[in-house]
Amino acid sequence: MRKPRFSIDSLMWTMVIVGIAISHLRTSAELRVTKSENKRLRDELGVLTVEDETAVSLLAVPTAEQDCWRWRIHMPADLKLRIGITDAGVIPLPRTQVNAGENLAYFDDPLPVGENLVEAKLYLRGDGVWAVSVRTSDATMTCALQNGDHEWLDGTAFFRTRFGSTTSRIVDSTKVIPLLRHVVVKHDSIRSPTSKPNPGIMIWLEPVK
């Protein structure tokens, strides 16, 4: 029996297919690198990247202002989250209930659908009372700090501040989403952290019940 022989045409078609496959793999790899680099540059500029329109996306936007924090939040159409604020000190996470006596405030309405810019500022009012102002794309709420004395705001305290990731990310909308924990770092006589709640403020998102 004669052995089958490939024709010149079939060999050329094989080479063309292999070339196309290699080109496709190379293009796909270059697109992945470009997409990753584009996302990194957007994050650095404070531009939120939304990879899933049905999920909550969050980006902490860097700011040069003292005691000022900003976030960009994408809200899908079928979810409702509201902003909560307290100055009751260190709050265990996730928050599951409101403790009696807390100075607590909520926005009346949930964040609107689409991209929201949320900004929080801690400032001293003209009457000498410290307050925190939180502004969204369409509403503003200001709360005086009332929980205990606030000598910790005299500029001499050390703080541990967490206000989210500077990389666009999808967050779990079924749980409490902390935006800001601005807490005084206290130490006892042997320079170890105390177990008592420390002064500070906290801002978070939670599902509307």
Side-chain angles (χ1 to χ4, degrees), residues 25-150:
L25 291 174
R26 183 180 300 166
T27 302
S28 297
E30 291 174 350
L31 286 175
R32 285 195 296 270
V33 172
T34 300
K35 184 178 180 180
S36 176
E37 181 68 9
N38 181 57
K39 182 178 181 299
R40 184 186 67 81
L41 293 174
R42 287 171 62 88
D43 288 342
E44 290 181 358
L45 293 173
V47 180
L48 180 64
T49 299
V50 178
E51 297 182 343
D52 184 353
E53 292 286 344
T54 66
V56 178
S57 297
L58 175 65
L59 171 68
V61 181
T63 171
E65 297 181 57
Q66 184 175 2
D67 296 332
C68 178
W69 304 272
R70 296 188 183 99
W71 305 267
R72 292 192 182 277
I73 305 167
H74 166 77
M75 286 297 303
D78 58 344
L79 290 176
K80 293 184 178 180
L81 298 177
R82 65 176 179 175
I83 298 176
I85 309 168
T86 186
D87 68 330
V90 176
I91 310 297
L93 295 178
R95 168 181 284 274
T96 58
Q97 62 183 9
V98 176
N99 297 324
E102 284 189 0
N103 182 29
L104 192 74
Y106 288 103
F107 269 68
D108 293 331
D109 299 315
L111 286 176
V113 175
E115 183 171 319
N116 297 267
L117 176 63
V118 177
E119 178 182 86
K121 285 187 177 182
L122 185 63
Y123 68 99
L124 185 63
R125 300 192 321 195
D127 59 1
V129 175
W130 284 93
V132 58
S133 173
V134 180
R135 178 176 59 86
T136 68
S137 302
D138 60 356
T140 300
M141 181 168 62
T142 300
C143 302
L145 304 186
Q146 301 172 359
N147 189 63
D149 62 69
H150 289 89

